[in-house]
Amino acid sequence: MIEKIQLIRNIGLFGSFTGNIQTVFNRLTVIYAENGRGKTTLSAIFRSIASGDPMPIIERKRLTAQDAPHVVVECDGATSPAVFQNGAWTRVYPNIRIFDDCFIDENVHSGLDVNPDHRQNLHQLIIG
């Protein structure tokens, strides 16, 4: 489980964010804010640490940034934080779930096209 974000640098709206003591996550954390505040960027970071795929972070690199994206996340049960640097994570946490537009696109349906896989995933989501 993610406990705290220590650093987000050169990703989306986050030029250089360093977490403070009040930025602590619980087992279930809901993030909400007005548009354009970085929620989708946080979702991309969490999706990346869950899968180990660097693309959600790399594709959100700030255009004006000279340096590569850098993230430091404290997770429970770990002696050292998970670090994203040079296009890779030092560790992944596959038990993280993010319910956002990417989740809907992959599991329910997207746009006007609803194929059999979407119906099956929707059925599994509702029925279990």
Side-chain angles (χ1 to χ4, degrees):
M1 176 177 86
I2 293 175
E3 287 185 346
K4 181 180 176 183
I5 298 173
Q6 289 183 352
L7 173 76
I8 301 174
R9 187 170 290 146
N10 301 324
I11 305 170
L13 291 176
F14 301 101
S16 184
F17 168 82
T18 54
N20 58 31
I21 294 173
Q22 290 83 22
T23 313
V24 177
F25 295 90
N26 292 314
R27 187 167 186 266
L28 173 65
T29 300
V30 177
I31 299 172
Y32 64 95
E34 57 207 23
N35 291 342
R37 296 296 181 180
K39 300 178 301 293
T40 304
T41 300
L42 286 175
S43 293
I45 291 168
F46 297 152
R47 184 175 300 100
S48 179
I49 197 172
S51 67
D53 180 11
M55 286 312 294
I57 292 176
I58 291 170
E59 64 191 15
R60 291 188 166 276
K61 179 184 184 279
R62 290 176 63 97
L63 296 175
T64 59
Q66 298 297 319
D67 298 319
H70 185 198
V71 181
V72 179
V73 177
E74 285 183 27
C75 298
D76 66 342
T79 56
S80 62
V83 178
F84 181 87
Q85 199 167 24
N86 301 320
W89 285 99
T90 56
R91 64 173 47 108
V92 296
Y93 291 91
N95 292 333
I96 298 171
R97 301 290 181 261
I98 301 97
F99 300 101
D100 62 353
D101 57 344
C102 290
F103 175 84
I104 297 297
D105 184 51
E106 293 170 0
N107 295 289
V108 183
H109 76 89
S110 176
L112 300 175
D113 181 36
V114 180
N115 62 40
D117 289 339
H118 286 125
R119 289 189 191 112
Q120 179 64 33
N121 289 338
L122 180 60
H123 181 267
Q124 289 177 349
L125 177 68
I126 294 171
I127 303 299

